[in-house]
Amino acid sequence: MMKFRFRRQGNDPQREKIKQDLFAFNKTVEHGFPSQPSALAYDPKLQVMAIGTKSGAIKVYGAPGVEFTGLHKDPATVTQIHFLQGQGRMVSLLDDNTLHLWEIGQKERCSDLREVRSFGLPGRSGIESTSATRVTVLLVKSSGDLLTLGTEGGGVHFLELPSLRLLDKSLFHDEIMQSVPDDYRCGRSLGPVEALQEHPLHPHKTLIGYSKGLVVLWDRNSRHADNLFLGKQQLESLVWVRSGNSFVSSHSDGGYMVWSVSSTTPCTHEPVTSTIPYGPFPCKAVNKILWRTIQSGAAQVLFSGGMPRASYGDRHCLTILQDSAHVTLDFTSRVIDFFTVHHVERDQEFDDPSALVVLLEEELVVIDLQTAGWPTVPAPYLAPLHSSAITCSYHISNVPSKLWERVVSAGLQQQCSAQACTNWPICGGKNLAPEVKQRELLLTGHEDGTVRFWDASGVALQPLYRLSTASIFQTDCEHNDSLTQTAEEEWPPFRKVGCFDPYSDDPRLGVQKICLCKYSGKMVVAGTAGQVIVMYLCDEKSDHMIDLATVDLLQDREGFTWKGHDRLPPKSGSVLFPPGFQPIVLVQCMPPAAVTAVTLHAEWNLVAFGTSHGFGLFDYHRRSPVLARCTLHPNDSLAMEGPLSRVKSLKKSLRQSFRRIRKSRVSGKKRAVLSSPSSKVQEANAQLAEQDAEVTPVQRRIEPRSADDSLSGVVRCLCFADTFLRDGTHHGPTMWAGTNSGCVYAYALDVPQQEKFSEQSVEALLGKEIQLMHRAPVVSIAVLDGRGSPLPEPYEVSRDLAKAPDMQGSHSVLIASEEQFKVFMLPKVSAKTKFKLTAHEGCRVRKVALVSFCSAASEDYSENGLVCLTNLGDLHVFSVPALRPQVRYDCIRKEDISGIASCVFTKTGQGFYLISPSEYERFSLSARVITEPQCRVEVERPYEPAEVGSCTSVSPQANGTHKSQSPGQSRNEVFEEMQSALSSPALDSPNSSADITLDTTGEITVEDVKDFLVSVDEAENNLRNMSDEDSRPPGILIN
């Protein structure tokens, strides 16, 4: 039999133009809280805030929708950030001892963040942790033209801004020691520079604090020490009192001191007052302190740390003191930094702070300082998505206004009295994004049994409403809360602040699947212990009992014993529920395994659910089960152990290992046959095949999966559809279920009319059972109408919200497995077309969605597409129902398994996936629907840089996976190439901030590195000598 090969036709230019108008891949914005924050800064003139991270990212936030993101070239930890107030510039210090100048620039109508230049102090910094030139603290002068650096060697250096040029006015250790009295000196060193503060009235004077306790008021104009404050306790931080007559120092013993500044006493031995708020027992260090004056009363003292070491040394606290008022804010994560929003104008006599902003390791907390009781201010963005670990997500496009208003109203009633109604204090910039036409909801399920509703319509992901399912069950959380409450009434006056709580009372509460009908307000929440909760949206609080139902999915099958966790015991009696989503009925699957699939059809009052044992169908109107089907294979022993069981089937794993060895031996023998005398013919055929590779794509051989693979009965997907299943003339309700073994079950449902719901019960009859040849897990099932379009959602046709499906032409079902997509004609279930993704691309399907792509050129033209995310992290778009490949994009790193598993698509061509436990990356596949920051910040720059050519644009992606290359490299090009040659692959990770030790044994001798090993004195001398060299161009990193 002869085989004919037909060459593919070339690309159609008209079709390529249509594809350009339909598809475009962009990573647009990062939602949530930055992972591993390490630095904080605030510009009171522009009213914007900057956060630096350990991955080298800088994120600037203003009013909701005003966001900028920049990424340093090297993934080093950002240790400090300081704004040049009002100029839209800031200086960042990395842990590799380099300084970087950033600028908010203008690009078309919008603003963006870009790095302008960098600088490093001379010397081989970073070899020793106590290097003399290692920068410890920065101070940007209020004039914005000078940057002061304090180093570990005790030196203070000055850089011109914005050129970052080193000036010849450095202040060194020995110059200060000449002014110190002999009895205080007595052989002690000053230690590193710990704090730098500009005098509030005399900008040319700087307060310099050394770690050993000495504080010097230095006049930069006269190069003279006006005042010496001979502290004896290790210094942590300094802050001026606004009048300039005194300052406050905090120390390592948990106390703070107030020092008086007077021109008549140039040398002060003792402070005016010394206080240890939580003494007399040993306390931890007060890391930072702020002193804010108030016109209407006593000053406010705010400081972090200082807790009694023995009793509360593990607490993360920030204290607010004012007269007799004393509050100890107790956080669940470490305090990174904090600042107050207050008056900074010189003509103002008092600070009068309005808000306290605290950056924690896992969240951002804002306190209203003008309202009695100091309540928290709800954040419009930067909410901690991971307040409890995210376990699932669900997106709803085009939310009806009625549902939106009811959800927002329920969320507003949840705000407790401890939250203020004050406006968000960080309100700089202007959001230029057009008003959103469609509302979007992102629902996240969490480990503690909560479901959180987020406004995903724009750039700022804003929390709307929080639903808790734990109140339905009997847990130990009430008892624990009462115990902690009694303990918190003691001294210190703790107040728990923040919502980050990574601990769950019971892992069985974890939410696994969510499904919401946006037209009826019905929702299904399914959990880890087999609980399926049907809920409805109610505007009033209710006190009622919960109906209970149990569905046995094993159907009394013998030989199976559940070894996993028990079910969650529901509460008996009536339960009080606040306004919002309230439970109608609790359906308990038995055995209580985690729910793996769920779907809801509110128009038919039906909910379908599946576990690793089977699937069930439940009529929540009549509170009665309709169907229960067991999908277990006789060898599915692992399915009976549960995710929380430690029982492992050793026999099963050994059997699979021997089976793999046997297969590898057989395949090895088959490969050995290729060296037979007929190999020349085969080689010739292989060469011909290579020459014709562009004609017929290579298909990989796929081994059929065994029917007795473990967990083959897991139900992966469920769907409802009104289609033709029994014959080609009568359509009706159907339910479809797909399993891990490649089996698809189709049931014909007899659903009564709406007025007869209470009288007649729903009946289900098995109509079709399809077994895929390779037994690949079924990821998704969708029914297409006669035009090849997906069927509309429940209520859309009856309420004239969508076009009625075509019931004249023949319907088809699209079945997506992990290895291929296949379209079957209904009702005969005959194969129409397919695409073998694994055979062609060598990847497996992880996520699938049907998306409507609207053309960017014409709003009236749109196409339906099948979007697929693979285990390699790439995205594919196929036409529907022809299954022709359209575009392919790289999206997620293949090593990022959690990111791939967390991906969720929208119906308009966008998507979300987790780039860290606290951040969603938002991307778009549509050329028309793009949600990205469009904002502008008006700045005034009196000092423009001389070199514009050194500006480099920085990629807006801050997860460490996208870096922009500088267009030109000057004299440090060779040095950068040497660094890249010696760099470790671990530096490519965004979370890598550890020190890298290079093993160069036998390659570098002492003679080779002798020139780089300098003492502290030699380094200081080098700095003095370099002050005479004016030929060095600015912005060059000298090493």
Side-chain angles (χ1 to χ4, degrees):
M1 182 177 178
M2 298 183 66
K3 295 183 179 180
F4 295 93
R5 295 177 181 267
F6 297 94
R7 291 188 177 270
R8 294 177 179 175
Q9 296 181 355
N11 294 331
D12 183 5
Q14 186 176 0
R15 179 58 191 170
E16 292 300 318
K17 177 64 172 63
I18 294 175
K19 286 165 62 173
Q20 289 180 4
D21 294 335
L22 289 173
F23 313 113
F25 178 73
N26 292 286
K27 290 186 177 181
T28 55
V29 68
E30 294 168 2
H31 295 302
F33 183 77
S35 178
Q36 296 182 310
S38 56
L40 177 68
Y42 178 65
D43 189 333
K45 293 184 179 179
L46 297 181
Q47 294 181 304
V48 295
M49 170 184 66
I51 295 177
T53 69
K54 288 185 178 180
S55 62
I58 289 184
K59 301 190 175 187
V60 180
Y61 300 93
V66 178
E67 292 186 19
F68 308 102
T69 300
L71 188 66
H72 289 89
K73 187 174 182 181
D74 298 320
T77 300
V78 181
T79 56
Q80 294 184 48
I81 308 175
H82 296 269
F83 275 100
L84 282 64
Q85 294 186 9
Q87 298 185 28
R89 294 182 176 132
M90 54 186 165
V91 176
S92 62
L93 172 66
L94 305 186
D95 64 352
D96 62 1
N97 207 39
T98 58
L99 295 168
H100 301 261
L101 181 68
W102 294 82
E103 206 173 74
I104 297 178
Q106 307 301 328
K107 188 176 181 181
E108 296 177 355
R109 294 176 55 247
C110 303
S111 302
D112 63 348
L113 185 63
R114 60 191 70 166
E115 183 180 348
V116 178
R117 55 177 55 84
S118 61
F119 174 84
L121 278 179
R124 186 75 179 272
S125 60
I127 290 184
E128 301 175 47
S129 60
T130 58
S131 172
T133 57
R134 186 165 187 84
V135 180
T136 55
V137 63
L138 300 178
L139 170 65
V140 176
K141 290 292 184 178
S142 58
S143 57
D145 60 348
L146 191 67
L147 175 66
T148 308
L149 314 179
T151 64
E152 284 195 4
V156 178
H157 311 287
F158 302 95
L159 296 181
E160 184 183 70
L161 289 176
S163 63
L164 290 182
R165 185 172 63 89
L166 183 65
L167 302 178
D168 58 349
K169 301 178 181 180
S170 298
L171 174 64
F172 295 100
H173 180 274
D174 52 358
E175 195 170 352
I176 295 294
M177 290 298 286
Q178 294 175 2
S179 306
V180 176
D182 294 338
D183 57 345
Y184 183 82
R185 195 182 310 172
C186 62
R188 79 163 70 189
S189 64
L190 299 180
V193 178
E194 202 68 40
L196 293 170
Q197 290 292 328
E198 179 183 337
H199 196 288
L201 302 180
H202 307 289
H204 60 279
K205 295 183 179 182
T206 304
L207 204 61
I208 306 172
Y210 296 89
S211 64
K212 294 298 179 66
L214 176 67
V215 180
V216 179
L217 181 59
W218 179 261
D219 190 330
R220 188 168 52 86
N221 292 343
S222 62
R223 294 191 64 83
H224 176 262
D226 288 355
N227 295 83
L228 296 175
F229 305 92
L230 308 180
K232 300 179 178 62
Q233 190 64 39
Q234 182 174 331
L235 182 69
E236 295 291 331
S237 71
L238 295 173
V239 62
W240 278 103
V241 178
R242 190 180 183 92
S243 63
N245 297 325
S246 59
F247 68 89
V248 184
S249 61
S250 67
H251 300 276
S252 61
D253 63 346
Y256 63 90
M257 302 177 184
V258 180
W259 301 80
S260 177
V261 180
S262 174
S263 58
T264 58
T265 54
C267 188
T268 305
H269 291 266
E270 297 294 335
V272 178
T273 60
S274 178
T275 307
I276 301 180
Y278 298 106
F281 298 106
C283 296
K284 301 193 73 175
V286 174
N287 303 313
K288 180 178 178 178
I289 189 167
L290 297 179
W291 185 287
R292 299 293 181 243
T293 58
I294 297 178
Q295 183 176 6
S296 59
Q300 283 183 350
V301 184
L302 309 96
F303 62 87
S304 60
M307 287 291 102
R309 190 175 296 275
S311 304
Y312 305 106
D314 58 342
R315 298 283 187 103
H316 310 291
C317 298
L318 190 146
T319 301
I320 307 177
L321 297 173
Q322 185 182 14
D323 277 342
S324 59
H326 185 167
V327 171
T328 306
L329 303 177
D330 187 11
F331 304 107
T332 55
S333 58
R334 184 170 58 92
V335 178
I336 304 297
D337 201 354
F338 61 95
F339 64 84
T340 59
V341 179
H342 61 278
H343 296 307
V344 295
E345 298 82 3
R346 293 289 177 90
D347 57 349
Q348 295 289 336
E349 185 179 354
F350 298 94
D351 295 313
D352 286 331
S354 59
L356 167 67
V357 180
V358 187
L359 175 65
L360 305 168
E361 201 168 32
E362 305 292 351
E363 61 183 320
L364 184 82
V365 174
V366 178
I367 306 294
D368 182 5
L369 296 178
Q370 292 184 330
T371 304
W374 299 322
T376 59
V377 180
Y381 51 80
L382 284 177
L385 301 174
H386 65 318
S387 52
S388 177
I390 295 177
T391 51
C392 67
S393 54
Y394 184 80
H395 185 270
I396 306 168
S397 301
N398 196 12
V399 180
S401 57
K402 184 177 181 181
L403 174 67
W404 183 269
E405 293 168 359
R406 296 176 69 188
V407 169
V408 171
S409 174
L412 291 175
Q413 296 182 60
Q414 283 184 333
Q415 292 186 4
C416 58
S417 58
Q419 288 186 330
C421 299
T422 313
N423 293 329
W424 183 245
I426 304 164
C427 54
K430 184 178 181 180
N431 184 12
L432 301 179
E435 189 71 23
V436 292
K437 298 179 181 179
Q438 296 182 357
R439 295 290 188 179
E440 296 182 32
L441 278 176
L442 179 66
L443 278 60
T444 54
H446 297 265
E447 192 180 34
D448 61 353
T450 59
V451 177
R452 288 173 167 82
F453 290 64
W454 307 89
D455 179 4
S457 310
V459 172
L461 192 69
Q462 185 174 357
L464 296 179
Y465 168 68
R466 177 180 178 272
L467 167 67
S468 176
T469 61
S471 59
I472 302 174
F473 305 99
Q474 296 177 11
T475 59
D476 298 331
C477 58
E478 295 90 352
H479 179 64
N480 293 335
D481 288 343
S482 61
L483 291 178
T484 54
Q485 187 66 32
T486 56
E488 288 174 2
E489 293 175 359
E490 302 174 358
W491 176 264
F494 289 115
R495 185 213 293 175
K496 283 197 172 294
V497 179
C499 59
F500 176 72
D501 184 11
Y503 305 106
S504 174
D505 297 310
D506 195 325
R508 296 175 295 175
L509 289 170
V511 177
Q512 295 295 321
K513 296 293 176 182
I514 306 170
C515 189
L516 172 64
C517 176
K518 60 184 178 183
Y519 301 111
S520 65
K522 301 284 196 316
M523 183 170 71
V524 178
V525 179
T528 305
Q531 68 271 28
V532 179
I533 309 166
V534 184
M535 317 184 86
Y536 72 105
L537 185 58
C538 184
D539 299 328
E540 304 292 335
K541 63 181 180 180
S542 175
D543 191 352
H544 64 267
M545 292 183 63
I546 307 167
D547 293 328
L548 305 176
T550 303
V551 177
D552 182 15
L553 297 180
L554 289 182
Q555 294 294 289
D556 301 325
R557 184 174 294 195
E558 298 180 355
F560 291 96
T561 305
W562 174 247
K563 303 174 185 177
H565 50 263
D566 295 331
R567 58 184 289 182
L568 278 166
K571 287 184 178 179
S572 57
S574 61
V575 181
L576 179 62
F577 297 101
F581 283 93
Q582 301 173 357
I584 302 174
V585 59
L586 169 62
V587 182
Q588 179 63 55
C589 300
M590 296 301 293
V595 177
T596 56
V598 73
T599 188
L600 169 71
H601 201 295
E603 206 167 2
W604 300 340
N605 291 330
L606 294 175
V607 56
F609 45 85
T611 69
S612 56
H613 306 125
F615 57 89
L617 182 63
F618 189 83
D619 181 354
Y620 59 83
H621 183 80
R622 294 174 55 89
R623 312 293 199 267
S624 62
V626 178
L627 168 70
R629 172 69 183 258
C630 181
T631 57
L632 282 177
H633 190 271
N635 292 330
D636 275 350
S637 58
L638 288 180
M640 304 309 295
E641 295 176 1
L644 305 179
S645 173
R646 296 183 179 180
V647 179
K648 300 297 180 184
S649 177
L650 181 61
K651 184 187 298 185
K652 189 76 173 176
S653 61
L654 286 174
R655 186 187 302 123
Q656 291 177 345
S657 300
F658 282 117
R659 190 174 295 153
R660 283 193 218 99
I661 295 172
R662 194 179 302 118
K663 284 183 179 179
S664 64
R665 287 176 178 173
V666 172
S667 61
K669 292 178 181 178
K670 290 181 179 179
R671 285 194 296 270
V673 178
L674 294 177
S675 60
S676 61
S678 62
S679 60
K680 293 183 179 180
V681 179
Q682 294 176 355
E683 289 177 3
N685 290 335
Q687 291 178 0
L688 289 174
E690 290 178 1
Q691 294 174 3
D692 208 16
E694 72 279 0
V695 179
T696 56
V698 178
Q699 294 191 10
R700 292 167 175 81
R701 183 180 178 185
I702 304 174
E703 293 290 338
R705 307 188 185 207
S706 174
D708 61 348
D709 281 348
S710 61
L711 300 178
S712 62
V714 176
V715 178
R716 295 287 297 271
C717 58
L718 293 161
C719 82
F720 289 108
D722 185 356
T723 186
F724 302 90
L725 187 62
R726 294 171 177 170
D727 54 61
T729 56
H730 302 88
H731 63 87
T734 61
M735 186 197 76
W736 300 73
T739 70
N740 226 25
S741 61
C743 192
V744 178
Y745 303 90
Y747 282 84
L749 307 179
D750 186 6
V751 179
Q753 297 295 327
Q754 188 171 6
E755 60 272 8
K756 297 182 179 180
F757 274 145
S758 302
E759 303 173 5
Q760 299 180 8
S761 60
V762 180
E763 295 182 359
L765 178 65
L766 181 63
K768 306 288 182 183
E769 186 171 342
I770 308 169
Q771 178 63 63
L772 300 182
M773 184 181 299
H774 291 298
R775 300 183 180 274
V778 179
V779 180
S780 174
I781 302 173
V783 176
L784 309 176
D785 67 1
R787 293 185 293 264
S789 302
L791 297 182
E793 295 183 19
Y795 290 111
E796 282 191 336
V797 176
S798 60
R799 299 184 181 182
D800 295 329
L801 299 172
K803 187 178 181 181
D806 182 5
M807 292 297 182
Q808 303 301 322
S810 58
H811 283 200
S812 57
V813 58
L814 170 59
I815 299 178
S817 72
E818 282 192 359
E819 297 176 357
Q820 67 179 10
F821 309 118
K822 201 165 187 178
V823 176
F824 296 90
M825 300 302 297
L826 293 178
K828 294 183 178 181
V829 194
S830 57
K832 179 181 179 182
T833 182
K834 65 181 176 181
F835 184 87
K836 298 181 179 180
L837 186 70
T838 303
H840 288 289
E841 304 291 341
C843 52
R844 294 188 182 275
V845 179
R846 288 292 177 260
K847 300 286 182 176
V848 165
L850 285 171
V851 173
S852 176
F853 291 97
C854 189
S855 173
S858 173
E859 190 175 357
D860 298 331
Y861 182 78
S862 63
E863 288 185 10
N864 292 315
L866 178 69
V867 178
C868 157
L869 174 68
T870 72
N871 63 326
L872 301 182
D874 49 2
L875 291 166
H876 300 257
V877 179
F878 300 88
S879 62
V880 175
L883 297 181
R884 293 191 183 95
Q886 300 298 307
V887 288
R888 176 196 170 278
Y889 304 107
D890 293 326
C891 181
I892 311 174
R893 292 179 298 111
K894 63 180 180 180
E895 299 84 6
D896 188 3
I897 300 175
S898 61
I900 295 174
S902 64
C903 183
V904 58
F905 295 108
T906 76
K907 292 189 175 181
T908 57
Q910 298 190 83
F912 303 82
Y913 69 92
L914 289 173
I915 55 175
S916 72
S918 60
E919 288 177 291
Y920 272 112
E921 176 78 71
R922 187 172 190 149
F923 63 88
S924 175
L925 289 166
S926 172
R928 185 180 186 89
V929 183
I930 302 176
T931 303
E932 61 183 353
Q934 299 179 41
C935 52
R936 187 178 181 90
V937 175
E938 300 293 340
V939 299
E940 296 180 2
R941 295 200 182 111
Y943 308 99
E944 289 296 336
E947 294 185 8
V948 183
S950 62
C951 298
T952 42
S953 179
V954 177
S955 170
Q957 304 302 330
N959 57 356
T961 58
H962 300 272
K963 302 177 183 177
S964 61
Q965 301 296 330
S966 57
Q969 296 176 339
S970 55
R971 292 190 294 175
N972 57 352
E973 181 178 4
V974 178
F975 173 73
E976 291 180 355
E977 289 180 359
M978 292 173 61
Q979 275 191 328
S980 62
L982 293 174
S983 63
S984 168
L987 291 178
D988 293 336
S989 171
N991 299 324
S992 174
S993 59
D995 293 334
I996 305 299
T997 304
L998 298 178
D999 185 8
T1000 55
T1001 307
E1003 298 178 3
I1004 299 179
T1005 63
V1006 176
E1007 296 297 326
D1008 295 326
V1009 299
K1010 183 171 63 176
D1011 296 336
F1012 297 101
L1013 301 177
V1014 296
S1015 63
V1016 173
D1017 296 333
E1018 289 175 345
E1020 300 287 3
N1021 292 330
N1022 291 339
L1023 285 175
R1024 288 195 186 93
N1025 296 334
M1026 293 193 65
S1027 62
D1028 299 331
E1029 301 177 5
D1030 297 330
S1031 60
R1032 184 191 312 115
I1036 300 285
L1037 177 62
I1038 302 174
N1039 281 43

